[in-house]
Amino acid sequence: MTHGLIDGYVLREFACSARDHMLARLGEPGFGVTAKAIGKRRTEIETRCAEAVKAAEKSIKTDTDIEKSLRDTGRPVTQHDRTQSRIKLGEARHYCQLMLHLAHGHGPRSDDRSLRTRSREAAVKAEPPSWRELPQPRSGEPERSVR
């Protein structure tokens, strides 16, 4: 679900949207689910979302610092810059995926459709920095152009 999310801003937005969706689906105690269990799930969701948002903000900061450095010094983009940007974006995706494991583990399977819709909506807004080279698409995926 995080595949098309290629920007830290969009990852942060998706993480918050997914969190809101999962919290809304927690429901009320009953039918074998105690208030304590629901409270624990709520805490897990909030914790994982906070981790995902923090990682997305690190990705945003890295991209912003690289862009500022490029603008101030006029130097070309180095492979190290690209690598650091990809690392931070990968970490942010990973934390979003950890949060989505909670939705898969505790939520009904019908939630997948709603979360995929939210992911697609966020991916439409995604726009990577112009200096970052995107990896080659896997087979069966549409190619993206770099501006």
Side-chain angles (χ1 to χ4, degrees):
M1 287 187 204
T2 61
H3 177 70
L5 308 178
I6 53 176
D7 182 44
Y9 292 103
V10 175
L11 276 167
R12 183 177 60 188
E13 179 183 332
F14 174 67
C16 292
S17 176
R19 177 202 61 205
D20 294 343
H21 173 75
M22 289 189 292
L23 290 175
R25 300 287 294 200
L26 276 180
E28 298 294 323
F31 300 109
V33 179
T34 64
K36 185 176 180 179
I38 290 175
K40 183 179 176 187
R41 287 182 191 168
R42 179 175 281 114
T43 303
E44 285 178 326
I45 292 168
E46 291 289 349
T47 302
R48 293 274 175 94
C49 181
E51 291 170 348
V53 167
K54 186 176 178 182
E57 288 174 352
K58 284 183 182 179
S59 173
I60 293 167
K61 183 177 180 342
T62 301
D63 287 349
T64 304
D65 290 347
I66 291 170
E67 287 176 10
K68 184 177 181 215
S69 173
L70 295 174
R71 192 173 45 245
D72 292 347
T73 63
R75 66 175 175 79
V77 179
T78 63
Q79 190 60 36
H80 177 74
D81 293 337
R82 289 186 181 104
T83 302
Q84 290 302 312
S85 176
R86 285 186 187 158
I87 287 170
K88 295 300 182 185
L89 183 65
E91 289 174 359
R93 277 187 182 162
H94 176 71
Y95 280 109
C96 276
Q97 290 167 355
L98 289 176
M99 185 180 73
L100 290 172
H101 281 295
L102 294 176
H104 184 72
H106 298 303
R109 297 301 171 253
S110 61
D111 278 0
D112 285 354
R113 190 175 311 117
S114 176
L115 289 171
R116 285 186 196 283
T117 301
R118 291 168 189 261
S119 174
R120 268 187 252 113
E121 288 171 356
V124 168
K125 301 175 189 175
E127 194 170 316
S130 58
W131 51 266
R132 186 192 307 149
E133 293 174 357
L134 294 176
Q136 293 296 324
R138 296 182 214 158
S139 63
E141 294 176 4
E143 288 194 34
R144 294 189 196 115
S145 62
V146 178
R147 294 182 190 122

